[in-house]
Amino acid sequence: MLIFIVLMIFSIMFYFYYKTKQFRTTLPIRKKWYASNASVFLGSFGVFLGIDLIIVSQTPLTYIVAGIFIILGLVMVIHNYKAAKHYHQFVAEEARLNE
C-alpha cells in the first residue's frame, strides 16, 4: 500500500514538473510534447489511485470508482504516450530551426 502512495506522489511531482516546463517554453511542438508527458503522469496518478482504493477499501462502490479511475488513467497514459512519442520526433528539428 505504501508503494502506491509513493508512486502517486512521484506521478504528481512529474506532472507539475512537465506542466511547468510546458508553460515556460515558447516553441509550439515542445509545448505539446511537454503537455503530453504531463498527461501521461496524470493518467498514471489515476491508475495508482484506483489500485490504492481497491487495496484500502473493499466495498462495491469502491470497486466501481476505482475501476473508473483505472480505466480512464490507462486510456490517458496510452493516448498521451503515443502523442509524446509522435511529438518527440520533431522536438530536435524544431530546436534546430529556431536557433
Side-chain angles (χ1 to χ4, degrees):
M1 183 166 63
L2 183 62
I3 187 75
F4 291 113
I5 294 171
V6 171
L7 290 172
M8 285 190 292
I9 291 169
F10 279 125
S11 295
I12 290 297
M13 283 177 20
F14 281 112
Y15 169 74
F16 284 125
Y17 172 76
Y18 281 115
K19 227 19 157 168
T20 304
K21 297 286 268 185
Q22 175 192 354
F23 288 127
R24 294 182 76 186
T25 189
T26 57
L27 302 175
I29 298 295
R30 187 165 295 213
K31 192 175 283 261
K32 290 179 182 180
W33 182 59
Y34 284 139
S36 297
N37 283 332
S39 295
V40 166
F41 286 107
L42 186 62
S44 67
F45 173 77
V47 171
F48 297 138
L49 179 65
I51 293 171
D52 191 53
L53 282 173
I54 289 174
I55 291 172
V56 169
S57 174
Q58 283 104 18
T59 64
L61 181 62
T62 305
Y63 287 140
I64 293 169
V65 171
I68 291 171
F69 273 113
I70 292 171
I71 290 170
L72 289 178
L74 285 174
V75 168
M76 281 183 68
V77 167
I78 292 168
H79 173 73
N80 288 303
Y81 175 75
K82 289 179 183 178
K85 189 175 168 184
H86 172 73
Y87 291 130
H88 185 67
Q89 301 173 24
F90 304 109
V91 170
E93 181 180 349
E94 182 184 51
R96 184 182 51 81
L97 290 174
N98 289 312
E99 285 181 345

